[in-house]
Amino acid sequence: MHLTAYDIIYRAIILIGALTGFLYWSRLSAAFRLLALFLLYTFISESAALYMAFTRNFNYSVFKVYLLVQIAFWGGVYFFLLTNKTAKKLTLALSAALWVISCIYIFSLPEKKMPIIMIDVESVLLIFFSISYFYFLIRNPVEDNILKLPGFWLSSSVLIYNCGSFIYIASFNFLANTGITKITLNNVHNALNIFHYGVLLYAMLLQVKRRQYAKCP
Amino acid sequence: MQNAHEAYDYLVMFVSISILFLVLGTGIAVFVVYYYRKRRTYVKEKEELRILFEKSLLQAQLEMQEHTLNHISGEIHDNVGQVLSLTKMQLNILGENDILSRTTLQAAKDSLGKAMKDLRDLAKGLNTDRIGHFSLIENAKDELDRLHNSQFMEVLCATTGVEHPISEEKKLITFRMIQECLQNILKHANARKIALSFAYTDTSLNITVQDDGEGFDVPAVIESSKGLGLRNIVNRASIVGGNAYITSTLSKGTTVKITIPYA
């Protein structure tokens, strides 16, 4: 095993996103402050996973904890992003339910097994959250230029990444056994990762620029 | 053979992934286009509402001015004119008798003093900024006092909660609605008592105008041509984001409840 360009670029983008958030903390809304914290945690987890992969050849435990934290963070981000009261309650309820089920599932799982099913369910949940956000944007079109709305880019990234991730994980075993190499599939997933965190970084920068002259909540 | 198989697998994967991202990308592009269309409709509707609001505000201001001028012309004819006529009569009988003259002169002076005071009060009413200088409750109390003094009706005004300021436009439109209610009572109700209450809650101002008059068939009157004033009250309430409910029982009186949100 060796460090690749992808490993460095991927983690660098996440770190830059987190640092941007902390540098301009006062300009961020509640949703983006949570996102900054989540990016920092993602960087730490990914770095720990890489280290464990090099030293112990095994890093599933990192991803098991990461899954639980990810559910909580994204639930929080969409709780603050959505403005409709019913949608907020639903987001909170679904995230809490998935978190509890994931906890039970992960603790009952053998050590050397990845919680593939829960990752897929989480992807579906995040797809639902992002589509809800788009739905409420249409219902209440107050924003003048939607392409400058940080939430739009955040949700677009979440939607595209989780659609790809869902299909990748759901079909991984099947595709690997039919001959499509794991390496190519992994490369596609890696590109998706860079796209996802790259667009999240862009959303973070838009948020910082947007609230340059605005008071913070 | 293996290379051909692998190449085929790569092609399938490439096409599948391309289709996936094409579908997602198209979906997001369609969303953006649809959003901008909805946004245009939203801006247009907002502009129409704004124009309607300004039109209502202008109409309320004109009605206020008309009402004020009508009231002043009535007061000049009924009060000031009568007092000045009396003063002229008193001055005409001066000089007939020394003792009588001093008493009559004093009475004439008193009458002139009253006429001057009445004119000064009327001049205040001509000031169109009067509504802006005083609170809604003070303006409403003024209106009630005028009714009490001229029509000898029993009037009650009550306030509950902490007074919350409202915008000048809302104040004018709300005062106009109260005036409309009081005018309706005067013209049609044949009432002896009017009760006006202001209840300030955390989110809105609730106004109740109640009388003990003849009452009327609310749905029938609102639908007819005579119900323009009532329809104006309901429309104006909705323009400022509130609502108005009118209930009435024959021989027992009428209640108008108006809710005006602060925001």
Side-chain angles (χ1 to χ4, degrees):
Chain A
M1 272 189 89
H2 60 274
L3 207 63
T4 61
Y6 160 75
D7 292 324
I8 297 167
I9 293 168
Y10 169 57
R11 282 161 185 80
I13 290 173
I14 298 171
L15 185 62
I16 291 168
L19 289 177
T20 307
F22 288 117
L23 196 62
Y24 295 102
W25 184 261
S26 59
R27 290 197 210 166
L28 299 182
S29 64
F32 280 86
R33 283 179 183 177
L34 263 181
L35 182 66
L37 287 168
F38 172 64
L39 289 174
L40 180 68
Y41 179 76
T42 304
F43 175 77
I44 293 167
S45 285
E46 289 286 352
S47 305
L50 192 68
Y51 174 76
M52 284 174 78
F54 279 140
T55 55
R56 297 184 197 184
N57 232 18
F58 177 77
N59 58 10
Y60 284 5
S61 48
V62 174
F63 289 113
K64 284 177 181 176
V65 175
Y66 181 74
L67 173 66
L68 295 175
V69 174
Q70 193 180 30
I71 292 168
F73 265 118
W74 279 117
V77 167
Y78 273 99
F79 175 80
F80 287 114
L81 213 55
L82 292 165
T83 49
N84 181 275
K85 280 184 185 167
T86 312
K88 278 179 179 289
K89 286 178 191 168
L90 191 63
T91 305
L92 217 55
L94 287 173
S95 304
L98 183 62
W99 193 87
V100 167
I101 295 168
S102 300
C103 275
I104 296 166
Y105 181 77
I106 284 167
F107 282 114
S108 64
L109 212 56
E111 200 193 347
K112 294 199 176 186
K113 263 203 124 179
M114 272 286 267
I116 301 279
I117 296 170
M118 282 301 128
I119 294 172
D120 260 350
V121 172
E122 191 220 1
S123 295
V124 170
L125 189 68
L126 290 178
I127 290 167
F128 172 72
F129 287 165
S130 59
I131 290 173
S132 302
Y133 180 75
F134 290 132
Y135 170 73
F136 284 111
L137 269 185
I138 291 276
R139 274 267 303 262
N140 198 21
V142 290
E143 186 62 35
D144 208 17
N145 185 357
I146 200 175
L147 295 175
K148 289 221 155 79
L149 185 65
F152 167 77
W153 290 102
L154 185 147
S155 282
S156 297
S157 170
V158 165
L159 179 66
I160 292 173
Y161 176 75
N162 284 285
C163 281
S165 182
F166 174 79
I167 293 168
Y168 165 71
I169 289 169
S171 60
F172 185 82
N173 284 336
F174 169 75
L175 291 171
N177 289 336
T178 57
I180 296 171
T181 62
K182 275 191 198 175
I183 295 168
T184 312
L185 267 179
N186 278 340
N187 285 343
V188 170
H189 194 246
N190 290 345
L192 204 56
N193 275 331
I194 290 178
F195 165 81
H196 177 51
Y197 289 103
V199 176
L200 285 182
L201 172 60
Y202 179 65
M204 183 75 78
L205 291 169
L206 274 179
Q207 172 72 11
V208 165
K209 195 178 171 189
R210 185 181 172 85
R211 295 176 74 89
Q212 206 167 358
Y213 303 109
K215 274 186 189 172
C216 307
Chain B
M1 182 74 177
Q2 200 179 344
N3 282 342
H5 198 68
E6 258 186 35
Y8 174 75
D9 288 344
Y10 280 127
L11 184 67
V12 166
M13 195 168 65
F14 176 75
V15 168
S16 309
I17 289 163
S18 300
I19 289 170
L20 171 69
F21 284 107
L22 200 67
V23 165
L24 283 172
T26 307
I28 289 175
V30 164
F31 163 78
V32 171
V33 167
Y34 185 61
Y35 176 86
Y36 277 121
R37 207 185 290 174
K38 277 282 249 175
R39 168 86 187 147
R40 270 198 295 272
T41 313
Y42 171 82
V43 167
K44 194 175 158 195
E45 279 172 7
K46 205 172 163 189
E47 184 60 21
E48 280 169 7
L49 275 172
R50 188 190 63 83
I51 290 169
L52 184 65
F53 179 78
E54 282 179 11
K55 209 169 147 186
S56 277
L57 190 64
L58 186 66
Q59 195 180 352
Q61 283 169 333
L62 288 172
E63 283 173 2
M64 278 288 310
Q65 284 172 354
E66 194 187 322
H67 174 81
T68 305
L69 288 171
N70 284 341
H71 166 71
I72 286 165
S73 101
E75 284 290 301
I76 288 173
H77 180 269
D78 297 339
N79 277 343
V80 179
Q82 300 294 326
V83 169
L84 289 174
S85 296
L86 177 66
T87 311
K88 191 182 170 193
M89 266 170 51
Q90 285 161 340
L91 290 173
N92 278 345
I93 62 175
L94 272 176
E96 286 182 13
N97 188 310
D98 268 344
I99 296 163
L100 189 63
S101 292
R102 251 179 257 130
T103 317
T104 312
L105 192 61
Q106 186 57 45
K109 273 165 77 174
D110 289 342
S111 296
L112 273 174
K114 187 181 180 310
M116 280 167 63
K117 184 188 173 299
D118 285 345
L119 276 171
R120 248 183 257 123
D121 287 344
L122 285 175
K124 278 186 210 166
L126 277 168
N127 181 358
T128 52
D129 281 343
R130 190 169 60 88
I131 306 298
H133 286 320
F134 299 102
S135 72
L136 180 64
I137 295 175
E138 281 162 345
N139 283 314
K141 275 182 180 167
D142 258 350
E143 201 70 15
L144 279 178
D145 287 341
R146 205 174 298 152
L147 273 177
H148 172 67
N149 293 335
S150 61
Q151 305 292 331
F152 303 105
M153 289 170 110
E154 191 184 331
V155 297
L156 297 158
C157 186
T159 313
T160 54
V162 178
E163 191 172 341
H164 196 286
I166 56 174
S167 67
E168 287 304 309
E169 293 90 357
K170 271 190 185 174
K171 188 163 76 169
L172 176 66
I173 290 179
T174 308
F175 179 66
R176 191 65 201 100
M177 285 192 277
I178 296 171
Q179 255 188 345
E180 185 78 47
C181 291
L182 296 176
Q183 285 300 310
N184 284 342
I185 294 171
L186 207 58
K187 279 188 225 169
H188 307 294
N190 206 15
R192 283 175 301 172
K193 234 192 263 182
I194 302 176
L196 175 60
S197 70
F198 296 86
Y200 288 91
T201 67
D202 290 335
T203 52
S204 62
L205 165 61
N206 302 323
I207 302 166
T208 310
V209 185
Q210 209 170 4
D211 68 73
D212 65 347
E214 293 170 354
F216 64 100
D217 184 350
V218 175
V221 170
I222 280 196
E223 296 296 314
S224 72
S225 56
K226 291 180 189 172
L228 181 63
L230 294 175
R231 289 198 295 275
N232 269 345
I233 292 170
V234 173
N235 290 340
R236 277 178 180 157
S238 71
I239 279 167
V240 294
N243 48 57
Y245 297 108
I246 304 161
T247 52
S248 185
T249 312
L250 288 171
S251 310
K252 286 193 177 165
T254 305
T255 304
V256 178
K257 286 186 180 167
I258 302 167
T259 303
I260 307 290
Y262 302 136

